[in-house]
Amino acid sequence: VLSVCADATLVDITHDIPPQDIESASLELAAAYRYFPPATVFVVVVDPGVGSARKALAAEAGGYFFVAPDNGVLTPIFADHAPTEVVEITERKYLQPAISRTFEGRDRFAPAAAWIARGTPLRQLGPRLTGWQVRALPRAQVSGGRVEGTVVRIDRFGNLITNITAAMIGSLTSPLTVTLGARGPIPIVGTYADVTSGEACALVGSSGHLEIAISRGSAAERFAGARGDNVVVSGRATIPGCHDEF
Amino acid sequence: VLSVCADATLVDITHDIPPQDIESASLELAAAYRYFPPATVFVVVVDPGVGSARKALAAEAGGYFFVAPDNGVLTPIFADHAPTEVVEITERKYLQPAISRTFEGRDRFAPAAAWIARGTPLRQLGPRLTGWQVRALPRAQVSGGRVEGTVVRIDRFGNLITNITAAMIGSLTSPLTVTLGARGPIPIVGTYADVTSGEACALVGSSGHLEIAISRGSAAERFAGARGDNVVVSGRATIPGCHDEF
Amino acid sequence: VLSVCADATLVDITHDIPPQDIESASLELAAAYRYFPPATVFVVVVDPGVGSARKALAAEAGGYFFVAPDNGVLTPIFADHAPTEVVEITERKYLQPAISRTFEGRDRFAPAAAWIARGTPLRQLGPRLTGWQVRALPRAQVSGGRVEGTVVRIDRFGNLITNITAAMIGSLTSPLTVTLGARGPIPIVGTYADVTSGEACALVGSSGHLEIAISRGSAAERFAGARGDNVVVSGRATIPGCHDEF
């Protein structure tokens, strides 16, 4: 990057995405990008199809730029902001002279991103695309006074982060009950320190999603929690016409 | 940070502090800060009490600035340099509009640090404080010709770093004997390569504290070393009046 | 570094070299350096002999600068480009006032690198050297229509990277057969996605060396692969005078 754009400011959001884990990359990026300055160029190199026929994308969305393999990793970004431009990165003059089939992050994505940072219009990097891969993330279901979702990400503290949003929970009638598989009820709180050290809690975390945590501990360890685990938030059962009158 | 202060230089001292480990964060910061340029702004986000009633601090000490939760993590800094200003970070115009109760590093500490880097006086960030949390670190004891301390930190090489300083050792009478719990004597040397590969040694490390190491190996693994382990340095016994005269 | 050279751009190539592993450091540096801008200063602090009589080097080679312990870690760089200048870093005015015997990376290498970045000629850092440590890396052998090499590095994806180059393989007669110890034959492909998920493959990776991989998996885990493991690429046996005429 610095060979093309010497005054670029480089920020390492994370190098800790598990290998080939497009879903984690997708969620980490979606949680972080809006806190960066306008026109930031984000480069994603979680790319199990590197060197294959899958395309390399450069996109503009929400006032930011994104360079990534066409494997659906940008799905949550494009759900937030419909992209105003998407191109396939093909123009050789903006790439490394020799392109490894196993490290396009170095030879294709990084130089393209550097040229974008220098102000090169996306359209010069290659042909405009009208279609791309979309990766459906598991969605939580709201029905019958309850939300049923799953663990979609585990952070380095061992918090189990779900696909259940604050808005979904807001639609339920208090008091609420949270369960993780057969475990629970787990109390809903505002922050980790609201329960004593070592106790389980559920709370809406910094990306707006419900998570299961152990105060000063690891829910992933305690509960052997894994992605895909079932999490249910139940509101108070309200039976129309039943008013405790008997 | 870059959204507020576009020309900030960001340095990642470490993202490898064990979760919630205030003591490790404290010692890492104390070992590193003096090597940075004057007026550097240090941000500490080891914060088990995030979102609770604990305060967020901005402080000036020793010509540097520090932004951290009020959990005692700055204790060794303030022991080196009495702070010339400490404020609670409350002024909303210097913070993210919405403040998550689980990620104040992002919503409170980082923007405040960026404003300080831009030259905002601490006093504008919130009210001046006259008291804050102090976190007592275990102190080594010098008495009777010996120093008794403990392992307080383990680095990524598996070196067991103690709270015994070079000055404490300097007060003893040579020759010296070092023990780790029931193990020893361990020879005191100048650097790891002074003993052959695989051998144990004790030395004064780069932060001025005695550490137990294995040359080209890991003392933490070999000795199952852990924080709190007892380390004793004994000088030659000197009995007043006894001069080997018989 | 920033205390000496405030406008330096810092890039963390990696902090994940296994402790004391000069060979890994050497190969990582050799794979990365040519992608950086001319006159970049590279600092290597994999230094099991820290504080001993081993020298500290500053070198210019291939239009780049290198600061490293004299332990052979620069061998592949100097094989690519004979150094135009090599000095021992001794001049105290370019170093930290107090030099720890266990952390010369901080007290000697980093300040020297910063002064070089500021434009200080190498010759001012200390006396010119005409000899230095060379570290022989295991070399693959080509003979009798086969290449016999070893695994020299394992990356974070679990790919087993060998010392067999694309040029060595190019000298063989197709079809080729690859074996890892007693395992194989392993098919040679262009990239990981050329075989189905979970299958083994061999390919020329991004640094021009043959590697053994599992598509979307870890060859290190599957094969319990380790450095030093034997890898053989065999071409078709060609017996002079034998033309399938019978």
Side-chain angles (χ1 to χ4, degrees):
Chain A
V1 167
L2 296 168
S3 294
V4 171
C5 182
D7 61 351
T9 297
L10 303 174
V11 175
D12 177 10
I13 294 182
T14 176
H15 267 77
D16 290 332
I17 303 292
Q20 284 93 38
D21 188 344
I22 296 169
E23 189 166 310
S24 284
S26 192
L27 294 168
E28 292 281 355
L29 178 65
Y33 80 98
R34 73 193 71 210
Y35 295 94
F36 283 81
T40 295
V41 185
F42 296 92
V43 184
V44 185
V45 196
V46 177
D47 188 13
V50 61
S52 70
R54 71 97 189 82
K55 297 185 179 77
L57 304 183
E60 182 171 2
Y64 295 105
F65 297 99
F66 299 88
V67 173
D70 184 18
N71 61 16
V73 73
L74 299 180
T75 301
I77 305 294
F78 291 174
D80 284 355
H81 305 280
T84 51
E85 180 87 277
V86 183
V87 304
E88 182 180 359
I89 302 169
T90 58
E91 193 55 58
R92 295 299 295 252
K93 68 188 253 202
Y94 298 112
L95 309 179
Q96 280 285 326
I99 298 179
S100 158
R101 287 191 62 196
T102 64
F103 196 4
E104 292 189 75
R106 179 189 69 191
D107 298 335
R108 190 184 296 270
F109 300 166
W115 283 103
I116 295 169
R118 279 183 61 161
T120 306
L122 295 194
R123 193 59 193 75
Q124 292 185 21
L125 298 176
R128 196 165 278 156
L129 292 175
T130 52
W132 44 82
Q133 295 293 316
V134 170
R135 185 178 176 86
L137 289 171
R139 278 186 61 84
Q141 302 298 329
V142 186
S143 72
R146 64 206 295 269
V147 187
E148 187 163 349
T150 56
V151 173
V152 291
R153 188 164 70 89
I154 299 178
D155 71 17
R156 77 178 282 259
F157 299 96
N159 300 319
L160 307 173
I161 299 162
T162 74
N163 55 357
I164 298 173
T165 64
M168 291 171 178
I169 297 171
S171 71
L172 305 181
T173 309
S174 292
L176 305 177
T177 306
V178 177
T179 54
L180 167 70
R183 297 169 186 278
I186 298 168
I188 297 192
V189 298
T191 190
Y192 312 112
D194 286 349
V195 294
T196 57
S197 183
E199 276 188 33
C201 59
L203 50 81
V204 174
S206 60
S207 66
H209 291 83
L210 188 78
E211 63 187 66
I212 310 289
I214 301 288
S215 184
R216 304 202 181 202
S218 165
E221 277 181 25
R222 170 84 64 85
F223 297 141
R227 288 220 310 249
D229 282 0
N230 190 255
V231 175
V232 175
V233 187
S234 307
R236 187 175 59 127
T238 53
I239 305 170
C242 171
H243 301 284
D244 298 324
E245 292 173 338
F246 49 92
Chain B
V1 167
L2 295 169
S3 294
V4 170
C5 181
D7 61 351
T9 298
L10 303 174
V11 175
D12 177 10
I13 295 182
T14 176
H15 266 77
D16 291 333
I17 302 292
Q20 283 94 38
D21 188 343
I22 296 169
E23 189 166 310
S24 284
S26 191
L27 293 168
E28 292 282 354
L29 179 64
Y33 80 98
R34 73 192 70 208
Y35 295 93
F36 284 81
T40 295
V41 185
F42 296 91
V43 184
V44 185
V45 195
V46 177
D47 188 13
V50 60
S52 71
R54 71 97 190 82
K55 296 187 180 78
L57 303 184
E60 182 170 5
Y64 296 106
F65 298 99
F66 299 89
V67 173
D70 184 18
N71 60 17
V73 73
L74 299 179
T75 301
I77 305 295
F78 291 173
D80 284 354
H81 305 280
T84 51
E85 179 87 279
V86 182
V87 304
E88 182 180 1
I89 302 169
T90 57
E91 193 55 58
R92 295 299 296 252
K93 69 188 252 202
Y94 298 111
L95 309 179
Q96 280 285 328
I99 298 178
S100 159
R101 288 190 62 195
T102 63
F103 196 3
E104 292 189 74
R106 180 188 70 191
D107 298 335
R108 189 184 298 269
F109 300 166
W115 282 104
I116 295 169
R118 279 183 62 160
T120 306
L122 295 193
R123 194 58 193 80
Q124 292 185 22
L125 297 177
R128 196 166 278 156
L129 291 176
T130 52
W132 43 81
Q133 295 294 316
V134 170
R135 185 179 177 83
L137 289 170
R139 277 186 62 83
Q141 302 299 328
V142 187
S143 71
R146 64 205 295 267
V147 187
E148 187 164 350
T150 55
V151 173
V152 291
R153 188 163 71 90
I154 300 178
D155 70 17
R156 77 177 282 261
F157 300 95
N159 299 320
L160 307 173
I161 298 162
T162 74
N163 55 356
I164 298 172
T165 65
M168 291 171 179
I169 297 171
S171 71
L172 304 181
T173 308
S174 293
L176 305 177
T177 307
V178 177
T179 53
L180 167 71
R183 296 167 186 278
I186 298 167
I188 297 192
V189 298
T191 189
Y192 313 111
D194 286 349
V195 294
T196 57
S197 183
E199 275 187 35
C201 59
L203 49 79
V204 175
S206 60
S207 66
H209 290 83
L210 188 78
E211 62 186 67
I212 310 290
I214 301 289
S215 184
R216 303 203 184 202
S218 165
E221 278 181 24
R222 170 84 65 84
F223 297 142
R227 288 221 308 250
D229 282 0
N230 191 256
V231 175
V232 174
V233 186
S234 307
R236 188 175 57 125
T238 53
I239 305 171
C242 171
H243 302 285
D244 297 325
E245 291 171 338
F246 47 92
Chain C
V1 168
L2 296 168
S3 294
V4 171
C5 182
D7 62 351
T9 297
L10 303 175
V11 175
D12 176 10
I13 294 182
T14 176
H15 266 77
D16 290 332
I17 302 292
Q20 284 94 38
D21 189 344
I22 296 169
E23 189 167 310
S24 284
S26 192
L27 294 169
E28 292 282 354
L29 178 64
Y33 80 99
R34 72 192 71 209
Y35 295 93
F36 283 82
T40 295
V41 186
F42 296 91
V43 184
V44 185
V45 196
V46 177
D47 187 13
V50 61
S52 71
R54 71 97 189 84
K55 298 185 179 78
L57 303 183
E60 182 170 5
Y64 295 106
F65 297 99
F66 300 88
V67 174
D70 184 19
N71 61 16
V73 73
L74 299 180
T75 302
I77 304 295
F78 291 173
D80 284 355
H81 305 280
T84 51
E85 179 87 278
V86 182
V87 304
E88 182 180 0
I89 302 168
T90 57
E91 193 55 57
R92 296 299 296 252
K93 69 187 251 203
Y94 298 111
L95 310 179
Q96 280 285 329
I99 298 179
S100 158
R101 287 191 63 196
T102 63
F103 196 3
E104 292 189 74
R106 180 189 68 192
D107 298 334
R108 190 184 297 268
F109 300 167
W115 283 104
I116 295 169
R118 278 183 63 159
T120 306
L122 295 194
R123 193 59 191 76
Q124 292 185 21
L125 298 177
R128 197 166 276 156
L129 292 176
T130 52
W132 43 82
Q133 295 294 315
V134 169
R135 186 179 175 84
L137 289 170
R139 277 186 63 84
Q141 301 299 327
V142 186
S143 73
R146 64 206 295 268
V147 188
E148 187 164 350
T150 55
V151 173
V152 291
R153 188 165 70 90
I154 299 178
D155 70 16
R156 76 177 282 259
F157 300 96
N159 299 320
L160 307 172
I161 298 162
T162 74
N163 56 355
I164 298 172
T165 65
M168 291 171 178
I169 297 171
S171 71
L172 304 180
T173 309
S174 294
L176 304 176
T177 307
V178 177
T179 53
L180 168 70
R183 298 168 186 277
I186 298 168
I188 298 193
V189 298
T191 189
Y192 312 111
D194 286 350
V195 294
T196 57
S197 183
E199 276 188 33
C201 59
L203 49 80
V204 175
S206 60
S207 66
H209 290 84
L210 188 79
E211 62 186 68
I212 310 290
I214 301 289
S215 184
R216 303 202 183 204
S218 165
E221 277 181 25
R222 172 83 66 84
F223 297 142
R227 289 223 306 251
D229 282 0
N230 191 255
V231 175
V232 175
V233 187
S234 307
R236 188 176 56 127
T238 53
I239 305 170
C242 171
H243 301 285
D244 299 327
E245 291 170 338
F246 47 91

